[in-house]
Amino acid sequence: MSEFFFRNLKKNYPTVASAKGVRITDTEGRTYLDGCSGAIVANLGHGLPEINNAINEQVQKVAFAHTSQFVSEAGLELAKKVVEMTPPGFMKGARAYFMSGGSEAVETAIKMARSYFVHQGDNQRTICFSRWQSYHGSTLGALSVTGHPARRKPYVPMLRSPSHISADYRYRCMCGFGPGCCASDECSIARADELEAAIVFAGPENVMAFIAEPIVGATLGAAVPGRAYFPRIREICDKYGILLIADEVMTGLGRTGTTFGMNHFDAEPDIIALGKGMAAGYQPLAAVLGSGRVVKAFEDSTGVFEHGFTYSAHPVSCAAGLAALDFVQKHGLIKKVSERECGFFKRALELIKTGIIGDIRGKGFMMGIEFVKNVDTKEPFSADLRVSQLVAQEAMKIGLLVYPGSGFIDGVNGDHIMIAPPFTVSDDEMSEIFELLERALNAVAKLVGSGSAR
Ligand SMILES: Cc1ncc(COP(=O)(O)O)c(C=O)c1O
């Protein structure tokens, strides 16, 4: 019996004792290899003295000052650094707003979009379109734009009416053009064109923004859209004067082998939401970056963003973020992730012989593995089997952490895991991750009577 409100009150969780590099140890002395950086957060591994020292130094100087009264040096420096990492069309006049987590970042991004229009005297625009099979956070505003039915279900009556279009989910393309269709730009453009249809139906004068993850993370397992997708989305947003919000909470700051996930596509957003890897889990930290164009609307009006959190731009979090970004830059980690992507994915292909893998997808060190009952027909496993949870459990039993997800095909079916180790993982540790994963997959294949271990 415990007073702690666990995520699942019927489940036992080990108590964490310590962590170093890519390994986490519990109080029973069991050690786990972190194959997914927690929930794709601990991008630099654990226990880095550079970041711990920066945190300690900031605590000694000043731990907290409220942003209605002060700004910290760490906050100012972090804003400069992160804005300097943005694309050229975005950077000039851009500013960074800091908060504690990704859901707060998405709320802030949506309110920033709304305020952009209100500051220009346009009070009518309220709709933020998004996509099914997306994840944008668990607060009610972020959940309204989230497109994962199971996460939405208990709260649907409290959410804004759905304003979702389809995702460009290439493994299960819905265009109906037949086998092989997903290789073409046509399908991606057809998916993007759903946005235009939705805008026209809603009345363009009512629409303020479109929010999307450049590469969908938790709820679609690293699904990469076609290269034509985001350029077409950008065109549509421009045509109707709508802001494009890139939710880079998971993809931002190196995870996909580029600074931002959107860098893979020929399109620049107007607002960027960041979180997770920004302070790499050393402190709670997230950010919203407003492009020069967005910021100008505030500057040309009252200058006030009617918004804020007690812990906005917390000095200790900003110091941790600054040290984390310094570490990434000093060690050239974004380039290294990009260079190691090929080996990472090549190694994963060896898992196909387990017979339960339908698709391996992703970019950089962000990999999704989708499980299927039948690799030829892509028939998913029955949801009752909870295959992704089984894989996570079997992996954890033998000392490997992976990030499971389910229900993404139609709200009920669909199983994947994400493999996303810290950028600092060594080649030997990477091999160990895949060796353990192969053992876990074979065990699950046996349990569900499928695959090569049948
Ligand atoms: C793309 C994306 N947006 C927003 C969030 C919400 O972030 P947080 O859990 O820090 O509130 C997440 C978390 O997984 C995410 O992956």
Side-chain angles (χ1 to χ4, degrees):
M1 181 58 197
S2 165
E3 293 75 24
F4 193 92
F5 208 126
F6 295 94
R7 281 195 172 216
N8 178 347
L9 298 182
K10 302 267 170 80
K11 192 177 153 186
N12 289 322
Y13 297 83
T15 306
V16 67
S18 62
K20 187 78 193 154
V22 297
R23 291 179 204 270
I24 301 194
T25 305
D26 69 20
T27 48
E28 305 280 308
R30 279 186 298 260
T31 293
Y32 307 86
L33 191 51
D34 192 352
C36 51
S37 308
I40 314 185
V41 178
N43 287 356
L44 306 178
H46 300 271
L48 283 177
E50 292 89 335
I51 305 180
N52 288 340
N53 291 342
I55 291 170
N56 288 337
E57 274 171 33
Q58 185 62 52
V59 172
Q60 298 304 325
K61 276 198 275 183
V62 49
F64 176 77
H66 197 263
T67 44
S68 65
Q69 294 150 347
F70 293 100
V71 63
S72 69
E73 283 176 338
L76 289 169
E77 269 187 67
L78 181 60
K80 182 168 167 29
K81 187 178 273 294
V82 74
V83 163
E84 279 174 0
M85 296 169 93
T86 61
F90 186 101
M91 190 193 304
K92 197 165 177 296
R95 289 180 188 259
Y97 194 108
F98 299 113
M99 63 294 295
S100 308
S103 303
E104 286 183 7
V106 168
E107 299 287 340
T108 303
I110 293 170
K111 286 172 78 178
M112 191 181 278
R114 165 75 182 160
S115 302
Y116 164 83
F117 288 106
V118 171
H119 274 309
Q120 295 175 90
D122 181 347
N123 290 311
Q124 199 175 332
R125 294 182 189 251
T126 55
I127 299 172
C128 181
F129 281 112
S130 59
R131 301 181 299 180
W132 292 113
Q133 299 150 315
S134 65
Y135 185 60
H136 297 293
S138 56
T139 50
L140 291 174
L143 195 58
S144 284
V145 288
T146 286
H148 186 259
R151 282 176 168 86
R152 291 169 55 90
K153 198 172 171 192
Y155 309 104
V156 162
M158 302 163 72
L159 304 179
R160 286 189 61 123
S161 55
S163 309
H164 298 66
I165 62 168
S166 315
D168 191 24
Y169 172 26
R170 292 159 77 78
Y171 178 61
R172 295 179 190 276
C173 183
M174 298 184 300
C175 71
F177 292 165
C181 63
C182 297
S184 78
D185 288 347
E186 245 180 325
C187 303
S188 298
I189 289 173
R191 295 285 70 75
D193 281 346
E194 286 186 29
L195 178 60
E196 179 158 28
I199 292 169
V200 171
F201 270 115
E205 67 283 4
N206 299 313
V207 184
M208 61 177 187
F210 176 64
I211 184 167
E213 299 158 83
I215 294 170
V216 187
T219 47
L220 205 47
V224 184
R227 66 188 166 162
Y229 182 77
F230 276 112
R232 180 77 186 123
I233 289 284
R234 180 72 264 180
E235 263 174 43
I236 295 166
C237 288
D238 289 343
K239 182 169 171 189
Y240 295 98
I242 287 159
L243 297 179
L244 174 56
I245 304 173
D247 181 350
E248 299 252 14
V249 168
M250 189 179 279
T251 51
L253 305 173
R255 174 50 66 188
T256 70
T258 48
T259 305
F260 298 102
M262 277 301 254
N263 295 159
H264 293 289
F265 311 104
D266 194 12
E268 283 185 10
D270 302 296
I271 295 176
I272 300 172
L274 294 169
K276 291 188 179 273
M278 194 170 191
Y282 283 78
Q283 288 288 299
L285 178 67
V288 171
L289 313 181
S291 67
R293 167 189 170 199
V294 170
V295 171
K296 191 168 181 305
F298 289 75
E299 288 171 346
D300 289 350
S301 175
T302 61
V304 176
F305 184 14
E306 197 52 65
H307 179 69
F309 306 104
T310 295
Y311 288 130
S312 291
H314 192 282
V316 182
S317 298
C318 290
L322 199 53
L325 288 188
D326 276 344
F327 190 88
V328 167
Q329 288 181 333
K330 185 170 162 207
H331 296 275
L333 289 180
I334 299 180
K335 187 157 175 270
K336 282 190 184 144
V337 167
S338 164
E339 286 164 357
R340 296 174 73 194
E341 171 183 326
C342 190
F344 178 49
F345 278 83
K346 225 168 160 180
R347 182 63 186 80
L349 289 178
E350 290 171 32
L351 299 172
I352 283 177
K353 61 178 182 283
T354 59
I356 58 170
I357 293 178
D359 193 27
I360 298 175
R361 53 190 179 239
K363 276 265 171 217
F365 274 5
M366 179 170 165
M367 176 190 290
I369 301 179
E370 181 167 340
F371 302 111
V372 288
K373 186 174 175 193
N374 185 321
V375 293
D376 299 320
T377 62
K378 303 185 182 178
E379 181 191 347
F381 283 105
S382 156
D384 300 339
L385 291 172
R386 305 181 78 238
V387 165
S388 55
Q389 291 297 335
L390 281 180
V391 171
Q393 281 161 21
E394 287 300 316
M396 198 158 175
K397 263 194 223 163
I398 55 173
L400 173 68
L401 303 175
V402 300
Y403 191 32
S406 58
F408 50 89
I409 297 174
D410 52 10
V412 178
N413 295 295
D415 284 285
H416 75 253
I417 55 162
M418 288 180 77
I419 303 296
F423 306 166
T424 47
V425 67
S426 70
D427 288 342
D428 285 348
E429 288 161 342
M430 188 76 99
S431 297
E432 207 184 328
I433 288 174
F434 282 109
E435 278 157 29
L436 291 172
L437 183 56
E438 191 168 332
R439 277 172 57 195
L441 295 186
N442 280 326
V444 171
K446 220 174 196 168
L447 279 174
V448 298
S450 193
S452 60
R454 212 178 331 213

